[in-house]
Amino acid sequence: MNLNDVLRAGRAIAGVLPPTPAWSYPLLDEATGARVVVKHEHVQPTGAFKVRGGVALLAGMSAADRARGVVTYSTGNHAQSIAYACRRFGAPCRIVMPANPNPTKLAAVRALGARADCHGADLTAAQRYAEATANGMRLVGPAHEPDLIAGVGTAYIELFTAHPDLDALLVPVGGGSGAAAAGVVGAALAPGCEVIGVQSDASPAAYESWRAGEPVDAPNRTVAEGLATGSGFPLTQQLLRAHLHDFVLVSDEQLRAAQHVLLTRAHTLAEAAGAAGLAALLADPDRYAGRRVGIVVTGGNAGPAELSAVLG
Ligand SMILES: *Cc1c(COP(=O)(O)O)cnc(C)c1O
């Protein structure tokens, strides 16, 4: 996975997904003491950055493979990405979500025409069920696919092209594809920019894996679906080790507070995972004071209960 893979993915998605905006808000600068650039991935048609990966993956599949269809497991945004891309490329799509999914994400997947089953207590159980019932469809894991990483990397080509002078970039991490891609692109286009991963301390598997230098398991209790993984993944961990300058943890309470700040100071609706970059910035103001800091609002698919919690 290198810059050329990301550039190729950029050509594949160019006719499907327009670039997203990246700009600043005086009230956000005031709240943080930094010069913040917000990359708005929640405005994607699926409400999250992952759709870039789904479109890149489907674009690269043969007609025969598309006809057999794609099956995946997800808490929601990866599911929407694959469902959107399958519809766009005419491929059958099946999604396994863990039981009790975010209802907004489940409804969105079904509205995209995918068959969605809710099965298993967590993502690992959903994965096993998807594997056991794939029936010849291509099984696509959220963190094992180079095409998905290359696809999501296109967000960082856009960001670093428009803002080549960023001092730091704070990227939410779940399985690690987004941050791995940010690291690859940042190293090539903006080597002076520190790329920093952010995860919830309630689900720190990627963080612990990065520190340990090998994939490890960790408790998985965050309310932020996009950050909820219980293990590190070899492919993304290898890239994170090569390219991430630092990795920090925030609490779920800090995610909620950052969602509120985005809503009130940047009229931006982020789901909890999408506010992780700002949460890390607010948690460590001295580190970023006066610096140019990019934050990626990775998604905006907050469910009804989550919306009440942010406003309450
Ligand atoms: C999936 C997701 C993340 C984490 O991305 P990874 O590539 O799995 O690390 C962050 N935010 C949102 C909104 C997501 O859906």
Side-chain angles (χ1 to χ4, degrees):
M1 234 298 298
N2 58 36
L3 186 70
N4 279 329
D5 299 315
V6 185
L7 291 169
R8 192 176 324 112
R11 290 190 289 276
I13 72 168
V16 183
L17 301 168
T20 59
W23 50 46
S24 301
Y25 302 86
L27 289 175
L28 205 51
D29 290 357
E30 186 186 279
T32 58
R35 294 150 72 188
V36 185
V37 173
V38 183
K39 177 67 170 164
H40 286 286
E41 285 295 297
H42 58 107
V43 302
Q44 291 285 4
T46 57
F49 77 107
K50 289 196 179 76
V51 69
R52 296 172 181 271
V55 170
L57 181 95
L58 265 287
M61 282 171 69
S62 69
D65 284 348
R66 284 185 201 148
R68 275 194 291 277
V70 175
V71 57
T72 192
Y73 46 93
S74 165
T75 55
N77 285 339
H78 169 67
Q80 283 190 74
S81 156
I82 298 298
Y84 180 92
C86 283
R87 188 180 68 165
R88 174 82 196 201
F89 289 93
C93 181
R94 227 190 104 222
I95 306 289
V96 182
M97 287 183 167
N100 304 314
N102 175 330
T104 304
K105 292 179 179 175
L106 177 61
V109 164
R110 291 190 168 143
L112 285 166
R115 186 181 136 201
D117 303 324
C118 300
H119 202 278
D122 58 18
L123 196 59
T124 309
Q127 172 179 356
R128 283 202 204 96
Y129 184 71
E131 285 164 358
T133 58
N135 268 331
M137 293 174 117
R138 169 153 174 198
L139 183 76
V140 175
H144 313 283
E145 298 279 351
D147 284 351
L148 296 184
I149 301 175
V152 299
T154 60
Y156 300 102
I157 302 237
E158 292 170 14
L159 178 61
F160 285 123
T161 304
H163 300 276
D165 56 356
L166 289 176
D167 298 309
L169 175 64
L170 293 161
V171 188
V173 179
S177 294
V184 168
V185 174
L189 299 188
C193 178
E194 280 185 277
V195 179
I196 302 168
V198 187
Q199 201 168 37
S200 167
D201 63 11
S203 294
Y207 169 86
E208 300 286 359
S209 299
W210 184 77
R211 292 185 59 108
E214 60 179 351
V216 299
D217 294 342
N220 182 11
R221 300 196 191 93
T222 180
V223 297
E225 292 121 24
L227 310 183
T229 46
S231 46
F233 301 100
L235 174 60
T236 50
Q237 280 297 325
Q238 177 210 326
L239 292 166
L240 294 175
R241 264 200 302 287
H243 297 297
L244 218 54
H245 296 79
D246 199 1
F247 205 143
V248 298
L249 295 177
V250 294
S251 68
D252 279 10
E253 293 70 35
Q254 288 173 314
L255 293 175
R256 281 279 181 263
Q259 282 178 283
H260 193 263
V261 171
L262 280 167
L263 202 53
T264 53
R265 292 184 176 248
H267 45 86
T268 293
L269 173 60
E271 60 185 282
L278 180 60
L281 174 48
L282 290 168
D284 198 355
D286 292 348
R287 176 170 182 175
Y288 303 105
R291 299 175 74 203
R292 286 175 291 254
V293 182
I295 62 171
V296 196
V297 176
T298 44
N301 291 313
E306 181 174 2
L307 287 174
S308 307
V310 172
L311 294 172

